[in-house]
Amino acid sequence: MNKTILFAFLFIQNIIFAQFSERNLSSGKWQFKNSNENKWLSATVPGTVHLDLMNNKIIPDPYKDENEKKVQWIENEDWDYQTSFTISSAEKKNQNIDLVFNGLDTFSEIYLNGKLLKKTDNMFRKWEIPVKKYLKAGDNLLQIKFKSAVNVGKELAKKVPFTMPESPRSFVRKAQYQFGWDWGPRLVTAGIWKDVKLNFWNDAKIENIKIEQKSLTKQKAELNIQTEIVAKKEGKYAVSINNQSNNFQLKKGRNIIQIPFTINNPKLWQPNGWGDPNLYDIKISLQKDSKIVDNKTERIGLRTIELIQEKDTKGKSFYFKVNGNPMYAKGTNWIPSDSFSPRITKEKYQKLIKDSKEANMNMIRVWGGGIYEDDEFYKACDENGILVWQDFMFAGSFYPSDEAFLSNVKEEVKDQVNRLQNHASIALWCGNNEVDEAIVNWGYQKQFKYSKEDSLQVWKDYKKVFHELIPNTLKENLTADKNIYWPSSPSIGWGHKESLTEGDSHYWGVWWGEQPFEIYNEKVPRFASEYGFQGMPTLETTKSMFSGVPNLSMENGTIKAHEKHARGWEIINSYMKRDYNIPTDFVKYNYVSQLLQALGMQIAIEAHRRAKPYNMGTLYWQLNDCWPVVSWSSIDYLGNWKALHYQVKRSFENQVILTDEKDGVLNFYAINDSLNTFENVNLEIQVIKFNGEILNKKVVSNGKSLEEILKFEPIEIKNLLSNFNKDEVFLRLTLKDEKQKIIAQNNYFFSKPKDLKLTKPNIKIKKISPTEIEISTDILAKDVYLMGDTHFSDNFFDLLPKTSKRITLSKPLEKVEVLSLWDTINN
C-alpha cells in the first residue's frame, strides 16, 4: 500500500478512535405504521404520528375546517416506527457507543436488532442507552413501539382509589395541552419528537457543565466551572477553558472537577430596556495525550438575579432585582407555538422573541402545560435580554406521588435543569401552573365526592412533588446562584384578598368572572403573572382555517370550531356591547374584537404600572397560539400582530405618561422603568376637539425629577373642559424634560369608544416606496386599521387631526385598505 494512503488511513482510524463523534439518525429513512396493520408508510423524524399521517394523506389537516373532530381516533391507537442504518467496522471499534433519544412521546419500547433495550414513560426526558454490544458491523434495525398515552393513562388512573380531575392527562408525563385547552385543540400525539443520535466516544466524555458565578464586580467576574466527566479508564487528562489548561488525574467512572475562572472587566448581561445582553462563550476541552477527546461550549451572561419578598405595611413584596436594581417586569405568557412541536422552526422561535423585544418586554413566563422549549428559545431569550420564568410541566390538575411517578419526575427535572441552567435568561424555576389553585379553589373534591382521606391524600401528593421532590432536586443539581424556586403560580387564588397583597396573582375576574375591564383599576396585585381577554386572529389567519374558499361568517361551523372556550363568543359579545357597537359585518367584527382585547389589556397594564412599586410586574396571558384560533394571544398562529401586540408595545414603553380618572378628578402619573433619570419634568396637557381645534392648554411643572414614578397634582375635569362635552374632545399629554425634549406622549379619551361623537375622517394613503407609506387625515381618525398580508410597523393607532404618519411594510402590497372606528358606527 502507498505510504501516503496508509498514513491517511491510520490517521482517520486514529481520529475515529480517539475523538468523540456523533451520527444523527433522524435524517435516515424512517417508516411507521399502526400496530394493528402490516403496511409501513414513510415517516419524518423528528415528528409526530399526526404529521406522518397527514404527509401520507391518511388524515386531513386538523387545523382546517372542522377536521379536529375527525382525527380523535389516533390517540387510542398504538404506533410503530423503525429505521435501518449501517455501522462500519471502524465505528464498531469505538470503546463506547451510545444511542441517544432527546425526546420520545411518550410510552415506548426501544428495540435494536430485535433486542428490547428500554421502556420509556416521559416525553420530557433524555434517554441514553449504551448499545455497543447490540450493534453489528453492517445493517442494524432500530424499532420504537409507542403505546397510546390515553390508554396507558387510564390504566394508571385505575390505581388511584378516587377520581382525579382531567384524568388521564395528569398521570402521563407528557405535554398537557395536547389533551385540549380553552385555546387549543385535542391532539394527543405520539412519536419521536426530538433528534435521535449515535454517540461514539473513547477514553472519556464531558457529561455536564455547571457554571457558577461566585462574585461579580466591575473589575472581575469570579466563576467556578464544574465539569462532570465520565472516564472509560483512569489516567491523566487535561481540561482547558478558553485555552487555559488544567491537569487532572481522573478515576474510572464519574468524575466531578472544579475549575476557577476569571473574566476581567466584565460586561453585564442586561435585560431589554436597560442595556445590552452581553454574552460570553466558555469553551471547555477535554484532552488525553495531547488529543482532544471531547469539547463543549457554553454561552453565559454575567448578571445577578434575586427574588425579593419583604414584609411591608400592605403585605409582602414580590419583585426581581437584576444586577442590584429593582426591575419592573413587563411581559407575557408563552405556550407552545404549535400543537405539533417538532415543526416549530428556529426562525419561528427567533421571530416571536424578537417581536417580544420590539414590544418592550423583559420577561416571558413559560407556562406549565406545554413543553420545556427547544434550546433555540432560550438562546433567543439570552440574545434579546428577555428573562424567563420557567414553569415545570404541571398544570391545573391533581398529580400522583407514587414512587414510580416521583422517580420519573426527579429524572425529568434533572435532565431539564442540566440542559437549561447556564442560560442567562433563566430567572425563576416554578413548580407548576395553578395546581395549588385547582386543589384549593376549583371545587373538584366536592364534584367528585372526595372523602376526608381522599382530600388529605391529594394535598399530601402535592406537597411531596412541589414542596419536597422538585426543590430538593434543584438543590442537588443547581449552583446556588441559580436556585430561585417558587412552588406554584399563582401562590394564592384570585378569589382571596391575599392574592393582591403578596406573591404572584392570576387575576381572572375579567373574562372568567365577567367583571368589567375597569375592575383592573381596583384589583392590583404585587405581581400579575396571568390575566387576559380573548380577541380574534387577523383576517389572514382566520382565512387559513379553511381548506377551500373561506366563508367568513360568525355562523360558519369552521369559525365556531376555532373558538375552544365553551362560552367564548357569548363573553366577547357581552364585553363588546359595553364599549363598542357590535358590527354585523364579519371584517368589522374581527376588527372590533381585536380593539376590545387591546382596550382591556391596556386598562390592566396601566393600572399595574401606576401602582409601582406596590406592583412590580405585569405578564399578560398570552403571547402566541398553537393553531389558528380565537384566543387570548397578542400574536396569532401565523405570526401576525393583533391589535393587542401593537398596544402592548405602546403600553410597555420605558417611559409613559398615564391618566386615571376618579370622581371627576384626573390624576397624572409619569413612569420611568429605565436606569436613567430625567430632571425638571413638566407635563403639557392639551384639550383638543376631534376636528383638531385646541380648546385649552395647560403646563404642569413641579421641578421634580423622574426616577421611577412621579405623580402630578390632580386636576378637576370641569376646570379643563369648561363647556365642552367629554365625548367630543380628548387630551393630548406630552411629558418633557428640562431641555423640553419629549419623554413620552399619550392620548386620553373621556368616553367609551361607542359614545365618542366621531365624524368621518378623510384618510389618505400615499406610497413613498414599495415598502413605505404615509397616512394622513383631516380630523381625528380613531384606531386606524391598515389591512393586508404584510406586517405594518404600526397599526390600530390614533391618527391625530391634520397629521401624517410614516409606516413601513415587511413586504410590498398593491393596495392597502383602511378602516377606522368611525366605520363601525353604522356597521
Side-chain angles (χ1 to χ4, degrees):
M1 182 183 287
N2 181 293
K3 285 186 178 181
T4 304
I5 296 173
L6 176 62
F7 175 79
F9 174 77
L10 292 173
F11 177 75
I12 292 168
Q13 288 289 91
N14 189 45
I15 290 292
I16 290 173
F17 195 72
Q19 291 190 343
F20 179 96
S21 62
E22 66 177 28
R23 268 180 64 186
N24 191 340
L25 297 182
S26 305
S27 56
K29 186 178 179 182
W30 284 87
Q31 297 175 304
F32 85 110
K33 69 177 183 67
N34 188 309
S35 294
N36 295 322
E37 299 175 0
N38 296 319
K39 184 181 179 182
W40 288 93
L41 302 166
S42 62
T44 300
V45 172
T48 75
V49 66
H50 289 77
L51 293 176
D52 290 329
L53 289 167
M54 284 166 60
N55 291 337
N56 283 278
K57 311 280 193 249
I58 306 295
I59 62 168
D61 186 342
Y63 290 8
K64 294 187 180 297
D65 307 320
E66 298 179 63
N67 293 338
E68 180 202 352
K69 301 172 186 173
K70 300 176 181 178
V71 301
Q72 296 305 312
W73 60 272
I74 296 168
E75 68 181 41
N76 298 309
E77 302 294 316
D78 299 338
W79 301 93
D80 299 342
Y81 280 75
Q82 70 176 28
T83 189
S84 59
F85 59 93
T86 303
I87 290 291
S88 68
S89 55
E91 286 174 320
K92 190 77 168 66
K93 288 178 182 177
N94 282 277
Q95 296 168 8
N96 305 278
I97 308 175
D98 296 333
L99 178 61
V100 181
F101 292 91
N102 284 309
L104 292 172
D105 182 10
T106 292
F107 295 96
S108 79
E109 295 177 348
I110 303 167
Y111 293 86
L112 181 58
N113 296 325
K115 170 71 176 177
L116 175 62
L117 300 182
K118 192 105 183 157
K119 292 183 178 182
T120 76
D121 57 358
N122 192 322
M123 176 180 176
F124 306 123
R125 285 176 61 182
K126 179 180 178 180
W127 305 96
E128 195 163 349
I129 310 162
V131 293
K132 178 177 168 67
K133 64 182 179 181
Y134 306 115
L135 287 169
K136 55 188 180 183
D139 292 337
N140 293 264
L141 179 65
L142 177 61
Q143 297 171 299
I144 301 96
K145 298 178 179 289
F146 291 96
K147 294 287 184 185
S148 159
V150 170
N151 294 338
V152 174
K154 287 177 180 177
E155 290 302 310
L156 291 170
K158 290 177 183 177
K159 298 178 182 179
V160 176
F162 49 85
T163 303
M164 297 269 266
E166 304 292 342
S167 185
R169 74 167 168 85
S170 54
F171 289 92
V172 298
R173 292 312 300 142
K174 176 176 176 63
Q176 304 284 275
Y177 80 111
Q178 292 181 359
F179 293 82
W181 226 266
D182 52 9
W183 38 256
R186 184 180 175 100
L187 296 167
V188 187
T189 62
I192 306 166
W193 75 291
K194 289 194 172 186
D195 278 329
V196 186
K197 295 179 180 179
L198 277 176
N199 288 345
F200 304 90
W201 59 282
N202 299 283
D203 296 331
K205 66 172 179 176
I206 299 172
E207 188 84 348
N208 189 36
I209 296 164
K210 299 177 185 179
I211 301 176
E212 182 179 12
Q213 188 178 280
K214 302 291 285 186
S215 67
L216 179 62
T217 66
K218 289 182 179 180
Q219 290 74 36
K220 62 176 64 175
E222 299 285 1
L223 309 179
N224 177 51
I225 298 178
Q226 180 179 302
T227 306
E228 190 175 332
I229 299 170
V230 176
K232 183 67 177 175
K233 56 184 178 181
E234 65 178 24
K236 292 181 180 178
Y237 291 80
V239 177
S240 68
I241 299 174
N242 288 7
N243 299 318
Q244 298 178 23
S245 189
N246 304 266
N247 295 317
F248 294 92
Q249 179 72 29
L250 300 183
K251 67 177 189 294
K252 185 177 179 180
R254 199 166 298 273
N255 299 261
I256 295 177
I257 62 171
Q258 315 272 354
I259 303 173
F261 186 77
T262 301
I263 297 176
N264 292 315
N265 304 313
K267 293 181 179 180
L268 293 182
W269 184 93
Q270 293 281 22
N272 184 33
W274 279 12
D276 295 327
N278 296 294
L279 296 166
Y280 289 86
D281 286 335
I282 306 293
K283 299 176 182 177
I284 296 100
S285 174
L286 176 63
Q287 299 165 15
K288 189 172 192 319
D289 301 329
S290 300
K291 295 173 184 172
I292 296 173
V293 295
D294 199 1
N295 61 75
K296 291 185 186 297
T297 299
E298 295 288 336
R299 206 164 195 213
I300 66 165
L302 302 173
R303 83 289 184 273
T304 60
I305 298 178
E306 304 165 78
L307 175 60
I308 306 298
Q309 296 184 82
E310 295 173 338
K311 288 186 178 180
D312 55 31
T313 56
K314 295 178 180 177
K316 189 190 287 186
S317 66
F318 189 104
Y319 68 92
F320 293 91
K321 188 181 278 188
V322 182
N323 298 327
N325 297 301
M327 185 194 81
Y328 191 91
K330 294 176 291 194
T332 186
N333 286 258
W334 172 281
I335 66 167
S337 56
D338 205 301
S339 281
F340 305 126
S341 49
R343 67 178 178 189
I344 307 173
T345 63
K346 290 184 177 182
E347 290 75 19
K348 189 167 190 177
Y349 278 120
Q350 287 285 347
K351 182 184 181 300
L352 282 167
I353 298 304
K354 284 174 181 171
D355 286 348
S356 301
K357 178 183 180 180
E358 191 177 336
N360 300 303
M361 298 184 199
N362 56 24
M363 179 172 277
I364 285 178
R365 173 175 173 249
V366 177
W367 170 74
I371 59 174
Y372 304 95
E373 292 295 339
D374 187 82
D375 291 344
E376 193 68 24
F377 169 84
Y378 302 95
K379 176 175 177 285
C381 289
D382 291 346
E383 293 168 348
N384 288 282
I386 308 292
L387 289 165
V388 175
W389 170 312
Q390 178 66 55
D391 280 4
F392 288 101
M393 293 301 120
F394 303 86
S397 184
F398 303 171
Y399 289 87
S401 71
D402 57 273
E403 194 172 323
F405 188 84
L406 291 176
S407 175
N408 200 357
V409 169
K410 184 179 180 72
E411 294 305 313
E412 170 189 325
V413 172
K414 283 170 61 177
D415 280 358
Q416 296 302 331
V417 163
N418 285 335
R419 177 172 73 97
L420 300 176
Q421 66 170 289
N422 293 325
H423 283 280
S425 52
I426 298 284
L428 178 78
W429 306 94
C430 180
N432 66 76
N433 171 77
E434 295 184 350
V435 176
D436 184 314
E437 169 89 325
I439 295 171
V440 175
N441 295 320
W442 290 358
Y444 282 135
Q445 296 168 64
K446 184 178 180 181
Q447 178 186 340
F448 295 121
K449 297 181 172 61
Y450 280 19
S451 67
K452 185 179 179 181
E453 289 72 23
D454 294 340
S455 295
L456 288 172
Q457 185 61 48
V458 166
W459 192 246
K460 187 179 176 183
D461 291 342
Y462 174 81
K463 299 278 277 188
K464 269 190 184 178
V465 176
F466 302 108
H467 287 266
E468 296 172 22
L469 177 80
I470 293 179
N472 290 340
T473 306
L474 292 181
K475 284 179 186 175
E476 294 167 7
N477 291 276
L478 282 173
T479 58
D481 58 315
K482 296 184 176 71
N483 190 5
I484 303 176
Y485 178 67
W486 189 239
S488 184
S489 179
S491 45
I492 302 168
W494 63 267
H496 301 266
K497 63 180 182 180
E498 294 83 5
S499 69
L500 301 178
T501 61
E502 60 184 87
D504 71 312
S505 172
H506 294 190
Y507 182 70
W508 285 105
V510 170
W511 185 267
W512 284 102
E514 299 185 51
Q515 293 290 315
F517 290 144
E518 289 74 20
I519 197 73
Y520 283 129
N521 293 315
E522 301 172 28
K523 304 291 186 178
V524 177
R526 306 308 293 258
F527 192 103
S529 50
E530 257 195 43
Y531 59 93
F533 193 87
Q534 283 195 352
M536 292 190 75
T538 60
L539 287 171
E540 288 72 30
T541 299
T542 303
K543 291 172 184 175
S544 78
M545 298 172 182
F546 296 84
S547 57
V549 177
N551 177 7
L552 298 182
S553 164
M554 298 303 295
E555 300 306 313
N556 183 269
T558 294
I559 299 292
K560 289 181 176 180
H562 287 75
E563 162 62 273
K564 301 301 290 183
H565 190 283
R567 295 183 56 241
W569 293 117
E570 180 187 342
I571 295 172
I572 291 171
N573 282 331
S574 69
Y575 275 85
M576 192 180 290
K577 191 175 181 180
R578 298 172 190 175
D579 289 301
Y580 293 89
N581 296 307
I582 301 180
T584 54
D585 174 77
F586 184 89
V587 172
K588 291 177 183 177
Y589 185 94
N590 177 285
Y591 161 58
V592 173
S593 86
Q594 292 191 55
L595 292 180
L596 179 70
Q597 181 189 28
L599 174 65
M601 295 304 92
Q602 179 185 2
I603 291 170
I605 291 168
E606 291 186 359
H608 298 158
R609 294 193 71 184
R610 290 196 309 267
K612 181 182 177 180
Y614 178 85
N615 171 280
M616 283 297 287
T618 181
L619 310 178
Y620 69 90
W621 182 269
Q622 69 211 54
L623 176 70
N624 54 328
D625 284 326
C626 64
W627 75 316
V629 66
V630 181
S631 85
W632 292 264
S633 71
S634 62
I635 299 178
D636 68 26
Y637 175 68
L638 295 184
N640 300 307
W641 289 24
K642 293 157 70 171
L644 173 55
H645 207 77
Y646 287 100
Q647 181 56 51
V648 162
K649 181 180 179 180
R650 294 187 279 268
S651 293
F652 279 171
E653 287 280 1
N654 253 354
Q655 290 82 38
V656 289
I657 176 69
L658 304 178
T659 309
D660 180 31
E661 182 181 336
K662 284 182 182 175
D663 303 322
V665 174
L666 293 174
N667 299 279
F668 300 96
Y669 301 78
I671 299 160
N672 174 25
D673 287 337
S674 75
L675 299 177
N676 302 322
T677 300
F678 299 87
E679 301 298 332
N680 298 320
V681 174
N682 63 73
L683 173 63
E684 180 183 281
I685 305 168
Q686 290 180 309
V687 182
I688 306 176
K689 287 186 72 173
F690 294 163
N691 66 4
E693 182 184 350
I694 298 175
L695 303 174
N696 197 353
K697 181 177 177 180
K698 185 177 180 67
V699 177
V700 183
S701 179
N702 51 19
K704 292 183 179 178
S705 63
L706 174 57
E707 295 178 19
E708 288 192 355
I709 185 163
L710 177 59
K711 298 178 185 177
F712 291 92
E713 289 298 318
I715 300 174
E716 288 195 28
I717 294 174
K718 62 183 180 181
N719 293 340
L720 268 182
L721 299 190
S722 301
N723 298 319
F724 310 117
N725 293 324
K726 293 201 295 183
D727 51 12
E728 295 177 334
V729 299
F730 66 97
L731 300 186
R732 180 62 168 168
L733 308 174
T734 303
L735 191 67
K736 298 180 180 179
D737 65 12
E738 59 184 345
K739 297 179 180 178
Q740 295 302 294
K741 183 179 178 183
I742 294 174
I743 302 170
Q745 288 185 306
N746 203 355
N747 303 321
Y748 181 76
F749 291 85
F750 294 94
S751 301
K752 290 179 177 293
K754 70 176 181 180
D755 296 328
L756 296 174
K757 292 185 177 176
L758 300 171
T759 51
K760 185 176 182 179
N762 181 20
I763 299 173
K764 294 181 179 179
I765 295 178
K766 178 183 175 184
K767 189 174 185 180
I768 306 299
S769 75
T771 56
E772 186 176 19
I773 59 173
E774 183 176 80
I775 181 168
S776 61
T777 183
D778 55 343
I779 60 174
L780 174 71
K782 181 111 181 74
D783 298 317
V784 172
Y785 174 33
L786 302 171
M787 290 181 283
D789 187 15
T790 189
H791 175 73
F792 297 97
S793 58
D794 198 6
N795 211 343
F796 301 95
F797 53 83
D798 295 336
L799 192 60
L800 302 191
K802 301 176 181 61
T803 64
S804 63
K805 187 180 181 76
R806 292 273 181 111
I807 303 289
T808 57
L809 287 62
S810 61
K811 62 182 180 183
L813 277 184
E814 281 297 312
K815 184 182 179 184
V816 176
E817 295 186 68
V818 63
L819 281 177
S820 74
L821 190 62
W822 183 88
D823 294 297
T824 69
I825 293 174
N826 301 310
N827 279 327

